[in-house]
Amino acid sequence: MKTLFRARRLAGLAAAVLLVAAPAGARAQEFINILTGGTSGVYYPMGVALSKIYGEKIPNVRPTVQATKASVENLVLLQQGRGEIAFTLGDSLDAAWKGDEEAGFKAPLKKLRGISAIYPNYVQIVASKESGIKTLADLKGKRLSVGAPKSGTELNARAILAAAGLSYKDLGKVEYLPFAESVELMKNRQLDATLQSAGLGVASLRDLATSVEINVVEVPKAVIDKAGAPFVSATIPADTYTGQTAAVNTAAVVNYLVTHEGVKEDLVYQMTKNIFENLGDLAASHAAGKEIKLDKALEGMPVPLHPGAARYFKEKGLKVGS
């Protein structure tokens, strides 16, 4: 019995010695939880591409991708320390920093820190041709999906409709649904139109356009000017979607990648560096990735830049505020 006990004790000591002798890097694996959006949007496939890049290029990290309700949920999760990097719309980020309760933020989220501006989201209002909707005014009395509740898309919907002199009360029915679910209802003729704030060529609208004849509804420059910052006028090029034969004017708002103050400087430096050193991989994940440019990385950033991101941009010669 004593011999058995001694053998077990020696085995335990040997395991402890092996653990202590193991390289520090092997035990100091850092998690990178990437907060994205719905699986049929742009954030998710781009988050998957980031996860692959980080897993291959940054030593001792374990990236994961989390599907979410997008901007607002992502920012709340970051404030709680439940993610390391997240995608968000610029207007949601601005609202989070200020604590805009109507936008879904009960208090200012002051732990948020910026990484980079990425690509613009286009406010894409797509109606079935049989609905007869050709203009914003035609939405009156119709059935519209405005995105998940308090998502960046839904905040965009409120702002654009208000600038056009419309409210949810003017609509026949309002559905608060993610992109893919909105498209399914349109295919089944249970919805007349969907508003989706996303990169050009988003999978959900490509799917819709191959199943149903569509009209892409213009957001005129006058409406965009009335909505004000952060919206800018932009163009959805002809043939972005099946059956869309002409270019259509609409509103756009910049997307950002953000983190929180508790993430280590070196990790954020590596995350930022590997975004811009692997833009080809991001563009391959979705066409919106082609619009990510180093010289636009700091445009309109509504929150303080994380020191790790600031270090990378200074190395690249960008002017970083103090």
Side-chain angles (χ1 to χ4, degrees):
M1 190 72 180
K2 283 182 180 178
T3 305
L4 180 61
F5 176 76
R6 191 179 294 114
R8 282 178 175 168
R9 188 164 176 267
L10 286 170
L13 284 169
V17 168
L18 283 171
L19 185 62
V20 170
R27 291 182 284 113
Q29 204 170 46
E30 292 187 88
F31 289 91
I32 301 177
N33 189 26
I34 303 166
L35 303 169
T36 60
T39 55
S40 61
V42 178
Y43 290 173
Y44 187 82
M46 210 165 275
V48 171
L50 268 185
S51 172
K52 190 169 185 291
I53 291 164
Y54 291 163
E56 291 174 357
K57 307 285 185 181
I58 306 176
N60 304 323
V61 299
R62 185 183 293 178
T64 55
V65 181
Q66 184 174 338
T68 67
K69 292 175 184 173
S71 299
V72 176
E73 183 181 4
N74 290 352
L75 297 170
V76 171
L77 288 171
L78 275 186
Q79 177 76 10
Q80 295 168 348
R82 293 166 64 190
E84 282 64 50
I85 184 169
F87 291 80
T88 180
L89 274 167
D91 54 340
S92 300
L93 183 56
D94 185 58
W97 185 252
K98 292 172 179 171
D100 183 339
E101 198 161 347
E102 272 194 26
F105 305 104
K106 293 177 182 177
L109 304 189
K110 293 299 184 182
K111 293 181 182 178
L112 299 177
R113 295 293 181 269
I115 291 179
S116 179
I118 42 174
Y119 62 90
N121 257 24
Y122 294 75
V123 177
Q124 300 171 73
I125 304 171
V126 179
S128 63
K129 193 158 272 186
E130 71 176 19
S131 72
I133 298 168
K134 294 179 181 177
T135 68
L136 289 174
D138 294 336
L139 289 168
K140 203 165 186 177
K142 301 293 187 178
R143 301 166 297 176
L144 174 70
S145 177
V146 294
K150 299 287 172 72
S151 63
T153 288
E154 202 246 318
L155 298 183
N156 286 178
R158 288 176 185 270
I160 294 300
L161 289 175
L166 296 167
S167 73
Y168 288 173
K169 289 178 182 176
D170 295 312
L171 303 173
K173 186 178 184 182
V174 180
E175 292 282 5
Y176 299 87
L177 294 170
F179 296 173
E181 287 88 334
S182 301
V183 165
E184 288 308 309
L185 285 189
M186 284 190 70
K187 287 180 185 177
N188 295 329
R189 297 180 173 178
Q190 294 171 279
L191 267 183
D192 299 307
T194 177
L195 185 150
Q196 304 195 3
S197 189
L200 290 177
V202 63
S204 51
L205 294 179
R206 287 205 319 267
D207 174 32
L208 176 65
T210 56
S211 308
V212 173
E213 283 193 283
I214 63 163
N215 286 328
V216 180
V217 180
E218 180 188 21
V219 180
K221 187 177 182 301
V223 171
I224 297 161
D225 290 346
K226 190 170 181 183
F231 296 102
V232 295
S233 192
T235 302
I236 302 172
D239 302 316
T240 298
Y241 302 106
T242 303
Q244 182 215 337
T245 55
V248 177
N249 199 78
T250 194
V253 58
V254 175
N255 285 286
Y256 293 87
L257 283 168
V258 288
T259 184
H260 63 83
E261 64 181 11
V263 183
K264 293 176 186 173
E265 180 179 326
D266 191 57
L267 181 59
V268 176
Y269 171 83
Q270 289 293 337
M271 290 195 296
T272 310
K273 179 174 184 278
N274 280 288
I275 291 165
F276 290 98
E277 289 188 356
N278 296 279
L279 289 177
D281 292 342
L282 291 175
S285 73
H286 195 282
K290 295 174 186 173
E291 300 186 66
I292 303 173
K293 309 286 183 189
L294 180 63
D295 61 357
K296 294 184 178 179
L298 302 177
E299 279 190 359
M301 179 66 74
V303 299
L305 204 60
H306 192 284
R311 172 155 56 109
Y312 175 75
F313 293 132
K314 282 176 184 173
E315 283 181 5
K316 289 294 173 184
L318 270 66
K319 189 175 180 181
V320 177
S322 56

